[in-house]
Amino acid sequence: MIMILIGPPGSGKGTQAQRLEQRLGAVHLSTGNLLRDEIAAKSSLGKTAETFMNSGQLVPDQIAVEVVAEHMKRGEPDTDYILDGFPRTTNQAEELDRILEERGLEVGTVVEIHTNDEVLMERLTGRFACANCGEGYHKSFKRPKSDGVCDKCGGVEFEVRSDDREETIRDRLGVYHSETAPILPYYAKKGLLVRVDGEKAMGDVTKEIETILIDGR
Ligand code: AP5
């Protein structure tokens, strides 16, 4: 099964992918996380990607496609994937079809997590994560059970993403509407696209996606 989560920054792609990966026995593949790993490793790919990411722009298609293709090559051929943040342009969508075809696979379901921009700004300016294990939190919607201590690993250091500044968030939202939203018709034409309401509570969004998968879409 190859499932794609598409939605604007802050719509909950990462949150939902984390919640679904264990339940579905699938691998969560986030291009944003893979690129941040490259930046942390100070690779040449990471250095190129960093400039684009810090200014809220998409990295060139060739880089995004390369990280996905490399990651998939290392996995077992029958691995199930939840793709979070890829594809983000029509060119990437076509490249994904090509990568999957080589492996005898195809996209199964594309879930658009629809959320209005005002809600997203509040979510992204309140987001932080454990610096040790990466578990995500929010200052209003998802606080650690014990203040200042990560629920998952007990870490006490937290970090805020460098692209979660208000001005950069506006740029990221603009890029979503101009470059990523136009790929929705590509999947609608293939009969693969379903939309969920990303403004519902996290658990309700998860249930809605699970229902879609059980219904075989
Ligand atoms: P990426 O890391 O993919 O970031 P993004 O798309 O901007 O999405 P986010 O991770 O910010 O949000 P999300 O939808 O995952 O929401 P989350 O679950 O965290 O990409 C970063 C950059 O990398 C891009 O700008 C680009 O430069 C580059 N890049 C990546 N992929 C690329 C590609 N394919 N091509 C080119 N460039 C690429 O939730 C956000 C917050 O809201 C959290 O605090 C969460 O707790 C909270 N929350 C989530 N759901 C709910 C809910 N239902 N109710 C209340 N709160 C909620």
Side-chain angles (χ1 to χ4, degrees):
M1 178 216 54
I2 309 290
M3 179 170 78
I4 298 174
L5 298 179
I6 297 183
S11 56
K13 303 181 295 295
T15 300
Q16 295 304 326
Q18 276 179 3
R19 296 172 70 101
L20 288 163
E21 69 173 333
Q22 279 192 344
R23 301 185 200 202
L24 302 177
V27 171
H28 170 200
L29 197 165
S30 152
T31 36
N33 289 346
L34 292 177
L35 292 167
R36 280 184 286 277
D37 289 346
E38 293 286 340
I39 293 171
K42 299 191 186 332
S43 70
S44 65
L45 189 149
K47 280 180 194 152
T48 310
E50 189 169 22
T51 321
F52 291 95
M53 291 169 78
N54 283 343
S55 61
Q57 300 304 308
L58 296 183
V59 305
D61 284 344
Q62 193 195 344
I63 292 183
V65 171
E66 187 182 325
V67 293
V68 171
E70 278 304 311
H71 194 280
M72 284 190 167
K73 235 186 252 169
R74 292 198 296 270
E76 295 298 323
D78 57 352
T79 304
D80 289 335
Y81 286 101
I82 302 170
L83 299 180
D84 154 14
F86 184 88
R88 270 173 138 110
T89 63
T90 308
N91 182 32
Q92 290 181 19
E94 288 165 357
E95 284 296 313
L96 175 63
D97 285 347
R98 190 187 53 74
I99 294 168
L100 294 177
E101 200 180 325
E102 280 173 6
R103 301 166 72 88
L105 301 169
E106 56 185 19
V107 175
T109 307
V110 180
V111 179
E112 178 199 359
I113 307 181
H114 186 266
T115 316
N116 285 312
D117 287 4
E118 307 76 61
V119 174
L120 301 174
M121 186 56 84
E122 187 188 5
R123 286 192 190 171
L124 292 175
T125 49
R127 171 168 68 175
F128 58 99
C130 171
N132 181 46
C133 72
E135 182 70 0
Y137 294 98
H138 190 280
K139 65 183 180 192
S140 312
F141 309 130
K142 187 188 166 195
R143 299 187 63 84
K145 290 188 186 98
S146 168
D147 253 357
V149 182
C150 175
D151 299 344
K152 198 171 167 190
C153 75
V156 291
E157 304 264 330
F158 293 86
E159 57 193 10
V160 173
R161 260 170 57 173
S162 59
D163 59 352
D164 275 351
R165 287 178 292 117
E166 201 166 322
E167 198 187 309
T168 315
I169 294 169
R170 283 193 204 293
D171 290 339
R172 288 161 58 202
L173 289 172
V175 167
Y176 174 78
H177 292 299
S178 63
E179 298 191 45
T180 303
I183 71 176
L184 296 171
Y186 178 83
Y187 290 114
K189 263 189 220 147
K190 290 171 180 263
L192 299 174
L193 184 69
V194 284
R195 180 192 260 203
V196 298
D197 179 359
E199 293 182 27
K200 288 187 179 164
M202 290 176 207
D204 292 339
V205 179
T206 312
K207 272 189 214 143
E208 215 175 307
I209 298 174
E210 283 176 334
T211 305
I212 288 164
L213 294 174
I214 291 163
D215 287 350
R217 287 293 306 275

